[in-house]
Amino acid sequence: LADEYINKKVRFGHWKDTAIKIEGDAVQSFTMMFLQMWNITERQPEDYAKYLTEKQPGFSRKDGYIIPYGDSPFDHENVREEVYFHILNHAKKYVHIMTPYLILDNEMLTTLIRAAKSGIEVIIIMPHIPDKWYAFAVAKTYYKELIEGGVQIYEYTPGFVHAKVFVSDDDTATVGSINLDFRSLYLHFENGGFTESEKISKSSVFFVSFFRSRPGAEGGITVPVRRRSGSGLRGPAGPPSAACALFSAGSGFRWRC
């Protein structure tokens, strides 16, 4: 963590992140995940019970539920990526994604494009001002194939998006620490919370308001995608009007309005 995470210090424009507050029994799962990761190198067992609270009586799904999940590079189950696949494969209307990095394996790339080609609105929101230029340059190499496959890509023009969010169909969402890149999907200790609840996920769509909305664009997201010049990255500097999005055109890109 650093001062730029709370915009006390400005290094990459405005820093945009997401967080959720969890109360109840789900907190115990995150407590256990933290303790297990903290003691990963210890050989002696520890009594975790002293860190846990009493379980609440009863369980009601009328307001939805949240499933905390974690993943480790030491097991043989890729839970983190499977959560993302689940959301993409079960969506009926849309999947909106925020990620600071975009370095995809073939399976994730294929799943994103398959969802878009099946009529699902797939939107990926990336930073416009990166914290790591080389990771941003690699992410750009995926833009053409994704856009040609029907995936919409936007950049957060005020600065850097650090959020890791999937929201789908007003009833499904996940927020966590998992970026769409190889390190985060395969090599790190990561965690997140998966929820199915109309009440929770409708409020989760608040990330749309992070953008400088302008009337007339489809889906209510109207911030222009801006291509960075220099570093070998070429393209239009901005849209001809407020209701434009960037699409591939041959070997380059053009604005569609």
Side-chain angles (χ1 to χ4, degrees), residues 84-103:
Y84 289 168
F85 285 147
H86 174 84
I87 294 175
L88 286 164
N89 290 331
H90 288 79
K92 295 178 175 60
K93 297 178 182 177
Y94 72 85
V95 179
H96 293 168
I97 301 165
M98 297 179 76
T99 179
Y101 312 113
L102 191 71
I103 303 175

Side-chain angles (χ1 to χ4, degrees), residues 83-125:
V83 171
Y84 289 168
F85 285 147
H86 174 84
I87 294 175
L88 286 164
N89 290 331
H90 288 79
K92 295 178 175 60
K93 297 178 182 177
Y94 72 85
V95 179
H96 293 168
I97 301 165
M98 297 179 76
T99 179
Y101 312 113
L102 191 71
I103 303 175
L104 307 174
D105 62 6
N106 182 67
E107 193 172 6
M108 179 60 73
L109 183 65
T110 302
T111 303
L112 288 164
I113 292 175
R114 183 193 305 117
K117 286 186 174 180
S118 66
I120 307 300
E121 180 186 70
V122 180
I123 295 177
I124 300 175
I125 300 166

Side-chain angles (χ1 to χ4, degrees), residues 203-217:
S203 67
S204 297
V205 186
F206 73 95
F207 77 80
V208 173
S209 68
F210 291 169
F211 298 85
R212 295 172 179 168
S213 294
R214 299 170 186 165

Side-chain angles (χ1 to χ4, degrees), residues 12-14 125-129 154-161 210-214 222-228 237-239 255:
F12 314 107
H14 184 264
I125 300 166
M126 291 281 293
H128 180 60
I129 303 175
Y154 292 78
E155 292 179 358
Y156 180 62
T157 53
F160 182 68
V161 167
F210 291 169
F211 298 85
R212 295 172 179 168
S213 294
R214 299 170 186 165
T222 57
V223 171
V225 178
R226 295 186 181 275
R227 298 278 289 160
R228 288 176 62 84
W255 293 103

